[in-house]
Amino acid sequence: MRLRSVELELADVTPAAEFLERLWGLVPAGSSGDTRFLRGTGDHPYILALAKAAAPCVAAVTFSGSDEELDAVRRRNGSPRRIKFNLPGGGEGFEVRGPEAQAYRFIEETSVAERLKDADRPIQLAHAVINSQDVEASERFAVEKLGFQVSDRTGHMRFLRCNRKHHCVAYAKSEFPSLNHIAFEMQGVDAVMRGIARLREAGFESVWGPGRHGPGNNVFGYFVAPYGGVIEYTAEVSEVGDDYRVGGPEDWKWPPGRIDHWGLSKKDTAKTGPAERVFRFTGS
Ligand SMILES: [Fe+2]
């Protein structure tokens, strides 16, 4: 199973797509009506969909897998009806809703896109972090209904995986459910740093990073996109197996004044403001 895409809805699709293509590094992957699709250099047909809507929303966080993997998730959820998605790459799948109406889509693997050679562009999505009022319930749903495994728990976050990568989804304690941020996987630390420099040169300062996270050990740089969503360049997320010991809050405490492994980053919450909470789930 792999995290494949996030489907966003927002009022001004064109400027958002232009920013994501021109500066962030995504690649156009077609359009359908008012919806624009963007891909990375990896083999997913697209990784971000931008549909036109009156208010910003998340329509879905989408995973792809084999028929067997999808069947296993369907069975855990009382066999929801199959949906034929009219999206780049096609594919059949289904949708389930989490305890706070989080929309998770599962779609058959359609790795049709030719891989691109460009070390400065994101490869694919690394993870989506979802704000949740009840992270315990969200975690339980992800384990029992989605079949994911818990990797780590911190004071206010839960990290879960759907393959060997440390996390594909995480839940952050919040006042109401919404999308916290989307992370894009880069080829390595150099690509993350070059991305941060590219954004800086265009007038966008990172709101957190560069730094190296605790859980997942990945390198990061966070930005608030002009459309209001928080996006992250990341690389080197650790791979774990069934023998991984699930960490708890006591494992992830920083010395005073530090919030990453390097001690280089300070989270500028004043800059992120309410932006990270703008995108609620459609219908929630
Ligand atoms: Fe992240």
Side-chain angles (χ1 to χ4, degrees), residues 73-83 93-96:
V73 180
R74 273 191 91 229
R75 281 197 301 274
R76 287 170 181 264
N77 289 278
S79 300
R81 72 180 176 89
R82 291 182 197 277
I83 304 168
F94 58 91
E95 185 176 306
V96 294

Side-chain angles (χ1 to χ4, degrees), residues 127 129 157 159 167 181-183 208 213 218 220 222 232 234:
H127 58 263
V129 173
M157 289 186 75
F159 297 81
H167 58 283
H181 70 268
I182 308 168
W208 190 22
H213 281 309
N218 43 319
F220 63 84
Y222 288 80
E232 173 190 1
T234 193

Side-chain angles (χ1 to χ4, degrees), residues 13-26 36 38 50 198-199 202 204 223-229 231 233:
V13 169
T14 303
E18 277 171 10
F19 164 82
L20 289 162
E21 290 170 13
R22 189 174 53 84
L23 270 176
W24 195 248
L26 300 185
R36 299 264 292 260
L38 306 170
L50 306 173
R198 183 169 66 239
L199 270 285
F204 295 89
F223 292 86
V224 179
Y227 61 84
I231 47 179
Y233 284 135

Side-chain angles (χ1 to χ4, degrees), residues 224 268-277:
V224 179
D268 190 341
T269 47
K271 281 188 197 165
T272 52
E276 65 184 10
R277 292 181 180 167

